[in-house]
Amino acid sequence: MGLLAVLEWVTAILLAADLLVVIGSVLVRHFFDAPVEWSDDVARALLLAVTFLGAAAAMARGDNAGVTFFVDRLTPRRREQVDAAVAVLVLITTSAMFWYACKLLVETSGQTVGAGLPQEVFFVPLCVATAAMTLFALDACLGFRLQDTLSALAGYAILGALWAAWSSLAPDTTPALPWVMGLVFIASLIAGVAIAFVLALSALVFIWCGDMLPGQFLAQQMARGIDNFVLLAVPFFILVGYLMEANGMSVRLISLLQRGAGRIRGGLDVVMVLAMVIFSGISGSKMADIAAVGSVLVPAARKSGQKPGDAVALLAASAVMAETIPPCVNLIILGFVANLSIGGLFMAGLLPSALMASALILVAIVAGRRTAQAAVVGISGESTASMAISGLAAFGLIALIFGGYRSGFATATEISAFAVAYALAVGWILFREMTWASVGSVMRHAGVRSGMVLFIVAAAQSLAYVLTLQQIPHAIADVLVALTAQHGRWVFLLLSVLILIVMGSVLEGAAALIIFGPLLMPVARQLGVDPLHYGVILVVGMGIGLFAPPLGLGLYGACLIGGVRLEDTILPILKYLGILFLCLLLIAFVPEISTALPRALGY
C-alpha cells in the first residue's frame, strides 16, 4: 500500500471517528442531559487531522485547483518549463510549511487544551501532512527534466539573494510588502499554482521579506483557521453528497423528475435545474452536486440531440443558483468568518435561490424545444412508485436538516452528522445498494475532498491575518466609506458585487469569502446594510465569478465532469450568467427578498 492509499484510508477512518463522536455526544446530551465535555475538543482535533491529511492526499491525486487558462496557451516546451518552475515553487512552500509546523510542535510540547488534551494532538497532523506534501512535491519535481528543475531552483535562489542584498544595502528603497505579496500572488496564480499554495506562499512572503513574525505563525494560523466546531459541517455535508450518489438516491430522484417534467418544452433543462435545487438542499458541496446531476443528465442531453456544451453551461449556472440553498458549504464558511448566524444565512438564501431557479427554468422553457418522448435517464426499468419512495427519502433528508436545528435538538453542525447517518441508513435498508466496500470508497473520496476545501480555508485564513496586520482591510474600508458618502450605499453594494465576481473567478470560492467577507461585512454594518442580506449578495457574487469564463475554477470542474471543452460552454454560460447577474441586482436592491424569511423566523 502506497503513501497515497495510507493517507486516504487514515483520513476516512478519522472522518468516521469524528462522525461517531458528534452523534454520540448529541445523543448523550439529549437523552441523559449530560454534556460530554471533551467531545468538542476531540471533534476539532479530528477535523484538523482530516483536513491536513486529506489535503496531502488531494495534492498527490492532483485534485488541487489552479488557474490554467494562461499556461494552456503556451507551447508544449514552454509549458513544461513553467510546470517545472511551479513544481519547485510548491516544493519550497511545502518544505517551509513542514519546517515551521515542526518548530511549532516543539514549542507547544507539554501544553494542553481546555479538556486536557495535549496541544500536540492539534499540530501533529499538520507536521505529518506537510511532510507528505513535501515528498509528493519532490516526486513531482523529479518527473521533469533535471535541467528545468535546476534552472527554476537557481532562479528562485537568485531572486532571494537579490532581495536580501537590496533590503540590507538600501532598506528604505525596497517596495512595500503589500506590493511584493501582490506581485507574487499574481505571478503564481498566472503560472497555474494551486490556489491553496498561492495563498500560503503569499503569507510566507510576508514572513520572509518582512522580518516581523516568526515562521511558526503560518502553521499556527493555518491550524487556528479551521479549529472551529462549526466547520465540521463542511466534511459531513460533503459526505452526504457522495452518499447520495453511492446509495442510488440521486439516480432515482433524477429519473423521477424526468418522468414528471421531461415532456414539457425544454424538459431536460428544467429537470437539470430542479435536480440541482433538490440536491443542493441535501449536499453542501456544489462539485458533488454537479457530479451527481451531470453524470446522469449530460449523457442524456447528448442522446436527445442537445449540444453538451449547452447542458454543461446550464449545469454550471444551476450551481451558481444553488450557492444560497442550505446547507451550502460557502454559507457555512461565511457565517464562520463573518460571525453570522448560520441558521439565519440558511433562511436568507432560500428566496434568492428560488428567484434564480425560476429565472433559469423560465429561460429553459422559452428557449427549449418540446420532445415527443422524454429521454430515458437513470434507472429505466423501475416503477414510478418505487422512484417516488426515493423522492420521499430525499425530502425526508431535507426535513431532517431543516427541522433538526429549528427544533433545538441539535445545532446545524451536529445535524449534518445525523444527515450522514440517514443517508447511510437509506442506502443500506431502503435501496440496499450500500456495501462496506462502497462505504469505504465514499469515506475516502469525501475525506480527500473535504481536506482540499478546508486546506484552502486554512491557507486563506493565514493570508487574511497577514492582510489585517498590514491594515489593508482598514484602508479599503475607508475608501469604500468615502465613495459611499459621496454616491450612496448602492455604490457600495455594486462595488461589493464586482469585487466578489472578479475575486471569485481567480480564487476558489471559499478563499474569496474568507478574505473579503470579514473585510467588507463591517463596512456593510456601518452603512446600515442587513448582514444576512449582504451575506447572500457576497455568496451569489462569488458564485457567478467561480463559474465565469475564462478563469472560473468551477466552470473548469463542470467541463471535466461533462466531458466538454471550455470553449463549447462560453457563449451559453454567458447567457445564463447574465440572467443570474440581473437576479443578483434585484436581490441587492430589494433587501426583503433576503430578509423576509429570517425576520419571520426570528433571526
Side-chain angles (χ1 to χ4, degrees):
M1 185 182 291
L3 179 57
L4 172 58
V6 171
L7 287 172
E8 288 179 343
W9 278 110
V10 171
T11 302
I13 292 170
L14 293 172
L15 181 58
D18 217 348
L19 188 68
L20 293 175
V21 168
V22 173
I23 292 177
S25 65
V26 173
L27 293 177
V28 170
R29 182 185 69 213
H30 183 76
F31 291 108
F32 300 100
D33 196 23
V36 183
E37 295 181 357
W38 49 264
S39 62
D40 279 13
D41 287 337
V42 171
R44 287 170 27 238
L46 290 170
L47 175 64
L48 263 69
V50 168
T51 295
F52 294 121
L53 297 179
M59 177 183 175
R61 288 168 45 170
D63 289 347
N64 288 309
V67 176
T68 61
F69 174 78
F70 301 102
V71 293
D72 284 343
R73 278 143 184 79
L74 299 176
T75 62
R77 177 65 186 127
R78 187 67 66 188
R79 172 68 184 270
E80 186 180 7
Q81 293 173 327
V82 172
D83 287 346
V86 166
V88 172
L89 191 61
V90 171
L91 176 61
I92 294 171
T93 304
T94 56
S95 300
M97 290 164 57
F98 170 64
W99 174 248
Y100 295 141
C102 290
K103 292 182 69 174
L104 180 64
L105 179 64
V106 172
E107 291 180 2
T108 57
S109 178
Q111 300 178 13
T112 60
V113 296
L117 288 177
Q119 190 75 55
E120 292 94 320
V121 172
F122 291 84
F123 297 130
V124 165
L126 180 57
C127 294
V128 174
T130 51
M133 288 179 182
T134 303
L135 292 176
F136 293 138
L138 180 61
D139 181 65
C141 290
L142 295 176
F144 294 99
R145 297 184 189 184
L146 183 61
Q147 175 187 353
D148 293 341
T149 303
L150 292 178
S151 297
L153 193 60
Y156 294 135
I158 291 172
L159 285 175
L162 289 175
W163 176 264
W166 189 0
S167 57
S168 298
L169 298 176
D172 295 335
T173 63
T174 56
L177 275 178
W179 291 106
V180 178
M181 291 172 59
L183 179 63
V184 171
F185 179 90
I186 294 172
S188 56
L189 196 70
I190 291 174
V193 178
I195 294 298
F197 294 111
V198 171
L199 299 170
L201 178 63
S202 300
L204 281 170
V205 166
F206 176 81
I207 294 171
W208 291 336
C209 298
D211 196 26
M212 295 171 59
L213 291 173
Q216 297 88 308
F217 142 84
L218 176 71
Q220 184 184 50
Q221 288 302 315
M222 291 187 73
R224 284 184 176 177
I226 53 171
D227 184 15
N228 193 291
F229 188 80
V230 169
L231 292 180
L232 272 170
V234 174
F236 290 163
F237 279 126
I238 288 176
L239 179 55
V240 169
Y242 280 104
L243 284 172
M244 280 178 56
E245 190 173 0
N247 67 14
M249 187 189 298
S250 61
V251 176
R252 288 178 173 86
L253 192 54
I254 292 172
S255 298
L256 179 64
L257 290 172
Q258 180 67 359
R259 291 192 183 186
R263 289 182 175 84
I264 68 173
R265 186 183 181 95
L268 198 61
D269 290 345
V270 174
V271 169
M272 185 176 290
V273 177
L274 291 175
M276 286 297 292
V277 169
I278 296 174
F279 279 52
S280 298
I282 299 172
S283 164
S285 170
K286 289 297 148 283
M287 294 313 297
D289 298 337
I290 289 174
V293 176
S295 62
V296 178
L297 289 181
V298 174
R302 284 191 172 95
K303 291 178 183 178
S304 65
Q306 183 177 343
K307 293 180 180 179
D310 292 353
V312 171
L314 180 59
L315 184 66
S318 300
V320 177
M321 168 274 300
E323 284 289 356
T324 59
I325 296 179
C328 177
V329 164
N330 286 323
L331 287 176
I332 297 170
I333 290 174
L334 179 62
F336 164 61
V337 299
N339 196 26
L340 298 176
S341 165
I342 292 176
L345 280 173
F346 282 1
M347 293 300 104
L350 288 177
L351 291 182
S353 61
L355 171 66
M356 291 184 286
S358 300
L360 291 177
I361 290 174
L362 181 62
V363 171
I365 293 174
V366 172
R369 56 187 176 86
R370 188 186 303 274
T371 55
Q373 184 175 0
V376 176
V377 298
I379 304 172
S380 58
E382 195 160 348
S383 67
T384 303
S386 176
M387 292 181 185
I389 294 175
S390 68
L392 291 175
F395 285 108
L397 183 51
I398 295 173
L400 171 67
I401 293 172
F402 280 89
Y405 71 83
R406 284 297 299 168
S407 67
F409 172 74
T411 65
T413 301
E414 293 166 338
I415 283 297
S416 64
F418 286 89
V420 173
Y422 180 94
L424 281 169
V426 166
W428 238 311
I429 300 172
L430 186 60
F431 301 144
R432 299 182 181 179
E433 293 194 15
M434 296 298 296
T435 63
W436 286 111
S438 62
V439 171
S441 176
V442 166
M443 296 294 289
R444 288 167 60 189
H445 282 89
V448 173
R449 169 65 67 174
S450 302
M452 184 183 74
V453 172
L454 289 174
F455 186 62
I456 293 174
V457 173
Q461 289 278 44
S462 65
L463 179 58
Y465 184 78
V466 165
L467 295 176
T468 302
L469 287 179
Q470 297 176 87
Q471 298 295 312
I472 292 177
H474 182 72
I476 294 177
D478 287 343
V479 172
L480 291 174
V481 170
L483 286 173
T484 304
Q486 294 178 4
H487 305 287
R489 69 176 182 180
W490 303 119
V491 173
F492 169 71
L493 293 177
L494 288 173
L495 287 174
S496 300
V497 167
L498 294 177
I499 289 172
L500 264 294
I501 289 177
V502 172
M503 297 312 299
S505 68
V506 299
L507 293 175
E508 199 276 344
L513 289 175
I514 288 168
I515 293 174
F516 289 95
L519 185 156
L520 297 173
M521 189 63 72
V523 183
R525 292 178 188 270
Q526 183 178 342
L527 297 175
V529 180
D530 185 280
L532 297 179
H533 170 225
Y534 189 65
V536 170
I537 294 173
L538 294 181
V539 171
V540 177
M542 175 277 305
I544 292 176
L546 185 61
F547 288 91
L551 302 179
L553 296 175
L555 185 58
Y556 280 94
C559 290
L560 288 174
I561 291 169
V564 301
R565 299 182 308 157
L566 177 69
E567 291 81 1
D568 296 333
T569 66
I570 290 179
L571 288 179
I573 190 67
L574 288 177
K575 172 183 66 177
Y576 293 125
L577 291 182
I579 293 168
L580 293 176
F581 181 73
L582 293 177
C583 290
L584 176 56
L585 293 180
L586 184 61
I587 293 167
F589 295 152
V590 185
E592 289 76 14
I593 297 175
S594 302
T595 59
L597 279 180
R599 286 175 181 171
L601 296 173
Y603 287 104

